[in-house]
Amino acid sequence: MKNSIIFLASAACSSFGTTHAFTMMPTTTMSNRPLTQLNTSADSANAEVERLRQQAAKIRQELAELQGKSVEEVEEEARNKKDMQVSREKEMRATLAAKPKTSNRKMTNTMLYVPETIEEQTNQAALAIERAFVDGITRQTVRLALVQEGSPIAPSEEENGWPGGQKQMYREAGRPLTEALLKEVRAPAMSIQTEEEKKSGKEAFPPEVNAQDIWDFDGSALVTSQAAVGPSGDVQAMVFPNTDVKYLKDIGKINESFGKERLFLLVNPFWRNVESWGFNILAPNAKKLAQEKIFDCEGGGFQDTYVFSRFSARGEDCVSLKAYPYDWEMFAFIEDYSFGRPMQTAVRLGSSKEEPTSKMFSELLNERPEFKMNKTMRQLNNKF
């Protein structure tokens, strides 16, 4: 009840402080209407304004009594909330205006946002992959938020994780997400297209997607998209490769047989960089092989073109988002009580040329007034 009143009071302070919304239209546009009717409409509008003002004043008075505050304090809080909303809108518009605009790229992703569903993430990732491919990047790394089919993308990882381990992650998230992604990606290698393929007109047709398990106990697979246009548009994606030498050898074989012109993806690999290959007495040359097959391979090495990373900083649920060719975007989630119950809402903190660190997030969170209190204090504050 309290939160509903807060919302109504905020709306009242912002909406009923002026009367320009009820300004009469010029008589030239309403010349066919009798003057008495115009006067009646004006009287009615003024009466409605006065009624709404009285209702807003009553709501503010009730809210003040509930919180043990004065009416002036409640009005000040409502104005501050409105100012904060306006500030956020201005910031988002400024971000949109500052993004680069290049005519030879799709601009659907110019304003990056945190996807809330699998479909939104799939579309966002597919566009980033296609933009990178057009720019000649045929070896790409993609890191998706791993969620089960039909589930929303929550701000943080599931509390219970994946009790079935990597096999469950692959079966319920990795494989279906990769298959959905490859169904959306269109990446014809123009340099190897035949005349028949160019004339087929099937570039936008959906591909046939198949998956082949690599190691069942690892929950890894090779997913192949056979393009309707022909072999020049085929795409391959290796799901959940890890630092075992077998995957390095498999990646090397695919690099060689698939050709540098066609698109090859690594989806959610279990490494961050070449340092993930520490010393292994059973595979002493693994780090050198990783550098050769992944980071220095033909085609420029595998580059991150889409990354959705969830983690915690200063106790807040955060997301860092990368979508080629744009900088990393940084978001934190805050509770929005406008609808009577807390809804997790992403707030943009800033951007970074390099992958953001927890320290960068903490510094930005400390600068934001809405995160002055930590999550626990905010929840307690909204209960009483």
Side-chain angles (χ1 to χ4, degrees):
M1 172 66 181
K2 173 187 169 186
N3 294 324
S4 299
I5 294 177
I6 292 175
F7 175 70
L8 289 171
S10 175
C13 289
S14 61
S15 299
F16 306 131
T18 59
T19 58
H20 67 272
F22 298 93
T23 302
M24 296 301 296
M25 295 177 63
T27 55
T28 55
T29 63
M30 305 175 66
S31 58
N32 293 330
R33 297 177 62 185
L35 183 60
T36 53
Q37 186 175 353
L38 285 174
N39 291 336
T40 301
S41 299
D43 293 341
S44 176
N46 291 332
E48 180 66 9
V49 170
E50 183 61 30
R51 185 187 70 80
L52 292 173
R53 282 177 173 166
Q54 292 175 1
Q55 181 181 358
K58 183 179 179 181
I59 291 172
R60 290 195 295 270
Q61 182 64 44
E62 291 176 355
L63 180 58
E65 293 174 358
L66 280 173
Q67 295 184 327
K69 299 178 181 179
S70 67
V71 173
E72 290 75 15
E73 289 174 324
V74 171
E75 291 176 342
E76 180 65 22
E77 289 180 357
R79 283 193 292 270
N80 290 340
K81 183 176 181 180
K82 180 64 177 177
D83 291 342
M84 187 175 294
Q85 291 174 341
V86 171
S87 177
R88 287 183 189 174
E89 291 174 0
K90 288 181 178 178
E91 180 181 343
M92 296 302 284
R93 286 196 295 268
T95 302
L96 178 60
K99 291 297 182 181
K101 296 183 179 181
T102 308
S103 59
N104 65 338
R105 291 188 180 127
K106 297 180 182 178
M107 299 310 296
T108 308
N109 254 14
T110 300
M111 184 61 186
L112 293 184
Y113 62 94
V114 178
E116 297 179 354
T117 65
I118 290 175
E119 292 75 19
E120 288 181 356
Q121 178 182 239
T122 298
N123 182 61
Q124 197 175 61
L127 289 172
I129 291 167
E130 290 176 1
R131 287 194 295 264
F133 182 78
V134 169
D135 283 352
I137 302 174
T138 63
R139 298 296 180 264
Q140 302 183 26
T141 298
V142 175
R143 299 182 186 274
L144 305 171
L146 298 176
V147 293
Q148 296 171 318
E149 287 186 287
S151 300
I153 299 178
S156 59
E157 298 284 357
E158 295 83 350
E159 291 183 3
N160 297 325
W162 300 91
Q166 192 170 327
K167 290 178 67 174
Q168 183 190 7
M169 277 198 297
Y170 165 70
R171 184 176 64 253
E172 299 181 7
R175 175 172 173 171
L177 288 175
T178 303
E179 289 177 335
L181 178 62
L182 262 59
K183 289 177 182 177
E184 295 299 321
V185 172
R186 303 291 184 271
M190 308 301 290
S191 61
I192 61 172
Q193 261 192 335
T194 65
E195 287 300 319
E196 182 179 355
E197 288 176 327
K198 292 178 181 179
K199 296 176 181 178
S200 68
K202 297 181 179 180
E203 288 83 357
F205 284 27
E208 179 182 343
V209 177
N210 300 291
Q212 174 188 355
D213 291 347
I214 298 175
W215 272 351
D216 179 65
F217 59 83
D218 260 359
S220 56
L222 183 66
V223 181
T224 302
S225 167
Q226 294 180 300
V229 70
S232 65
D234 290 351
V235 178
Q236 288 198 302
M238 186 177 288
V239 186
F240 292 168
N242 58 43
T243 55
D244 193 286
V245 172
K246 171 180 170 50
Y247 294 103
L248 296 177
K249 293 179 179 179
D250 287 346
I251 291 170
K253 291 177 182 177
I254 295 171
N255 274 332
E256 184 177 347
S257 63
F258 206 50
K260 65 178 182 180
E261 297 85 359
R262 292 190 287 185
L263 179 61
F264 181 22
L265 306 174
L266 298 179
V267 179
N268 288 62
F270 285 89
W271 60 73
R272 300 304 301 181
N273 51 47
V274 72
E275 298 303 323
S276 298
W277 281 266
F279 177 74
N280 184 346
I281 193 171
L282 299 178
N285 296 319
K287 184 174 181 179
K288 180 181 178 182
L289 187 62
Q291 186 71 47
E292 175 189 342
K293 301 298 183 183
I294 297 175
F295 303 100
D296 294 334
C297 66
E298 193 173 22
F302 285 86
Q303 300 182 39
D304 289 341
T305 55
Y306 185 81
V307 181
F308 186 114
S309 179
R310 297 177 288 183
F311 57 95
S312 177
R314 216 200 66 178
E316 305 290 352
D317 294 322
C318 299
V319 165
S320 58
L321 183 64
K322 168 69 177 177
Y324 183 91
Y326 309 116
D327 293 342
W328 289 84
E329 296 289 347
M330 305 163 67
F331 300 89
F333 285 83
I334 196 167
E335 309 79 24
D336 184 354
Y337 288 87
S338 299
F339 300 96
R341 61 185 181 89
M343 301 289 290
Q344 293 291 323
T345 303
V347 176
R348 181 182 178 277
L349 301 178
S351 61
S352 172
K353 295 286 185 183
E354 304 298 328
E355 183 172 2
T357 63
S358 295
K359 181 181 179 181
M360 293 171 62
F361 270 92
S362 296
E363 291 173 351
L364 290 171
L365 286 167
N366 291 335
E367 296 173 359
R368 300 296 292 249
E370 57 265 62
F371 292 100
K372 183 176 181 180
M373 292 188 291
N374 62 32
K375 187 193 300 185
T376 302
M377 293 300 296
R378 292 197 303 270
Q379 292 172 344
L380 289 173
N381 186 61
N382 279 282
K383 281 186 178 180
F384 302 101

